[in-house]
Amino acid sequence: RPQSRMSRLGDAAAEALQEARETGMLGSEQQPALLLNLGNVLSDRYERDPRNRHDLDAAIECYAEAVRLLEGHGPDAVTAASNYAGSLKDRYRRDGRTSDLDEAIAVLQRALRVASAESPGLALPFDALAGALLTRFEATTDFADLSAAITAYADALARVAPDDPDRPAYLHNQA
């Protein structure tokens, strides 16, 4: 079956980023961005073809390393944590390991705990945290997770401006 243009571009990007990572072509200050980009490409490639299980696992490794390198470094740390948690949640859906949900929740909670309350873009990670907590509640029926999910959804909504075009999605999630 012929590859789509987007698929070929994704493969080329993954190869270039992986080569840069392996050869140390970029300095240490650029390493987190490289890891995030490589994780994004691998995650996107997995979404296009979930049979490529290795892509999701490799994306998780990239995100985990980026989270480690960026921990406590503002908005980039929260972005890395959100990407990592989203991929862990995808792997939970694939494999059913609750340890992936536990790690997703823990990494988001750590990132949000050290983020400044005024940091822009916190609605999305609070929403991701709520979604992971709700998924874990569905798996375990632990009402503490349900309560924490409701709080996290409220925290997400509180950070979305009334005229934000994404506000209806946040309202829907909280309902």
Side-chain angles (χ1 to χ4, degrees):
R1 176 177 111 192
Q3 278 189 315
S4 71
R5 183 169 191 261
M6 194 63 158
S7 180
R8 288 191 308 273
L9 287 172
D11 291 346
E15 288 173 23
L17 289 166
Q18 188 61 38
E19 182 180 335
R21 179 182 183 201
E22 290 170 359
T23 61
M25 288 170 47
L26 300 176
S28 61
E29 69 280 351
Q30 296 151 327
Q31 194 71 8
L34 171 92
L35 291 164
L36 286 172
N37 287 330
L38 180 56
N40 290 341
V41 168
L42 292 166
S43 181
D44 288 346
R45 199 164 66 176
Y46 172 76
E47 287 177 18
R48 281 194 310 276
D49 187 358
R51 294 173 298 179
N52 293 332
R53 298 169 64 91
H54 171 74
D55 284 341
L56 180 59
D57 296 332
I60 288 170
E61 288 176 22
C62 289
Y63 291 143
E65 191 173 344
V67 164
R68 184 183 63 73
L69 292 171
L70 288 169
E71 197 154 12
H73 288 90
D76 290 339
V78 175
T79 298
S82 294
N83 291 356
Y84 180 40
S87 289
L88 285 166
K89 192 172 170 189
D90 288 343
R91 189 166 67 184
Y92 165 77
R93 283 189 207 107
R94 182 188 79 189
D95 298 340
R97 292 190 317 226
T98 55
S99 60
D100 283 332
L101 277 180
D102 296 341
E103 176 67 10
I105 291 164
V107 75
L108 284 166
Q109 287 173 330
R110 276 192 310 271
L112 289 166
R113 205 172 17 257
V114 299
S116 166
E118 294 81 35
S119 292
L122 290 182
L124 193 59
F126 271 109
D127 192 69
L129 174 60
L133 286 161
L134 187 58
T135 300
R136 190 168 70 181
F137 166 74
E138 291 166 352
T140 66
T141 64
D142 181 348
F143 283 94
D145 284 337
L146 179 60
S147 178
I150 291 167
T151 299
Y153 277 132
D155 288 340
L157 185 61
R159 287 164 172 77
V160 179
D163 60 345
D164 188 306
D166 293 327
R167 189 169 178 82
Y170 288 98
L171 286 165
H172 178 268
N173 287 347
Q174 191 177 17

